[in-house]
Amino acid sequence: MTTATTAATTATDASAVIPQVKRSRAAWVLSDALVLTKRYVSHIVRQPDEIITAVMIPTTMMLLFRYMLGGGAVDVGAGAYVDFLVPGVLTVGVTLVAVSTTTGVFMDMQEGFVDRLRSMRTAAVSVIVAHVVASVLRALISLTVLIGLAFVVGFRPSAGLLQWLGALAILLLFAFAVAWISVLFGQIAKSNAGASGMALILTFAPYSSNLFAPTETISPGLRTFVEHQPVTAVIDTVRALLLDQPVGNSAWIAVAWWGGITALVIPISARKFRRRYS
């Protein structure tokens, strides 16, 4: 018997003894998404301008409004203006991550990256899952840096550990929803400029909330919109938790808004992706 024949016989016997492990499609997608997430996260090291932009803009905003309006130009009642401002700035930092996510999805689809993955029997939908995970990780990095800078400029929250965890959970839910919307925008966009433009819709969402001033100080006509737009619920919840104030219904409203948006966008985005690459 030749060496080749012996090796083949051994391999056949081994395959008969060792059971073949069959992975579900969900496990297959998650495994591939983990590999791709490492690729997207490594871009942060190779291209730090993305995370720098996501941090510098809200940092500039924090400094500008902290020292321009922090001297009493805006009446926020008891407490310092910087404590009122910071929770809103954190939401801005989350939304700025949407730009890189939207353009990243668009570029992967236009440059044939997904087609190359399909030729390697990789689950194509794992691309958008990996983009979402990487987007949330970038948002977490941005939040960590912004919170550290906030303490430097005088932010003094009175939250306990559970309140900090609650505020972080709301912000990460917001980041998760924004990431999925960004993925959908990246698939809809027809050009790189169009992808960036769509991402700006998310980026400017916090500016039409009570980011800079209390809701009750806004003119009556605009106040109704500000009170009921979904980003306001996030800011109100984070602000109340970090400043140890009554949260009221804002937390449930924030979860309902952004949990509902996520539940709506995920199947739409996944279906659109599968139709293109099926």
Side-chain angles (χ1 to χ4, degrees), residues 41-277:
V41 171
S42 68
H43 288 177
I44 299 175
V45 178
R46 297 200 304 269
Q47 299 174 341
D49 54 304
E50 293 181 1
I51 196 68
I52 289 174
T53 301
V55 171
M56 288 304 298
I57 292 177
T59 296
T60 302
M61 183 185 306
M62 189 190 305
L63 295 174
L64 182 65
F65 286 92
R66 159 73 175 90
Y67 293 105
M68 283 186 61
L69 303 180
V74 177
D75 182 13
V76 295
Y81 181 69
V82 64
D83 294 335
F84 176 89
L85 177 67
V86 167
V89 172
L90 296 179
T91 65
V92 174
V94 169
T95 57
L96 284 170
V97 174
V99 178
S100 57
T101 303
T102 303
T103 55
V105 171
F106 174 79
M107 296 302 294
D108 277 353
M109 296 179 67
Q110 295 299 314
E111 294 180 350
F113 178 70
V114 179
D115 291 322
R116 291 196 296 274
L117 291 179
R118 292 177 67 203
S119 67
M120 296 186 292
R121 298 184 60 79
T122 301
V125 75
S126 62
V127 173
I128 58 176
V129 175
H131 270 293
V132 169
V133 176
S135 180
V136 173
L137 289 175
R138 286 195 297 268
L140 186 58
I141 294 172
S142 176
L143 288 172
T144 301
V145 175
L146 288 174
I147 290 172
L149 291 172
F151 277 102
V152 173
V153 300
F155 180 52
R156 296 296 180 266
S158 49
L161 177 60
L162 291 179
Q163 291 167 308
W164 270 103
L165 292 176
L168 183 60
I170 291 293
L171 288 168
L172 290 181
L173 171 62
F174 180 50
F176 187 68
V178 167
W180 275 108
I181 299 171
S182 302
V183 165
L184 181 59
F185 283 171
Q187 296 181 73
I188 296 173
K190 302 300 181 182
S191 66
N192 199 6
S196 298
M198 287 184 177
L200 289 178
I201 297 173
L202 296 171
T203 301
F204 283 104
Y207 295 90
S208 59
S209 68
N210 57 356
L211 166 60
F212 300 116
T215 307
E216 56 270 17
T217 65
I218 301 173
S219 59
L222 184 59
R223 185 187 309 161
T224 302
F225 171 77
V226 170
E227 285 178 342
H228 296 94
Q229 76 112 321
V231 180
T232 296
V234 174
I235 296 176
D236 281 344
T237 303
V238 174
R239 186 176 284 146
L241 288 170
L242 295 185
L243 301 183
D244 193 20
Q245 298 173 350
V247 177
N249 294 324
S250 62
W252 297 112
I253 294 173
V255 171
W257 261 115
W258 294 102
I261 290 172
T262 303
L264 178 66
V265 172
I266 287 178
I268 294 175
S269 183
R271 188 180 303 114
K272 185 174 182 60
F273 195 89
R274 283 195 299 268
R275 283 179 178 175
R276 178 165 180 172
Y277 292 100

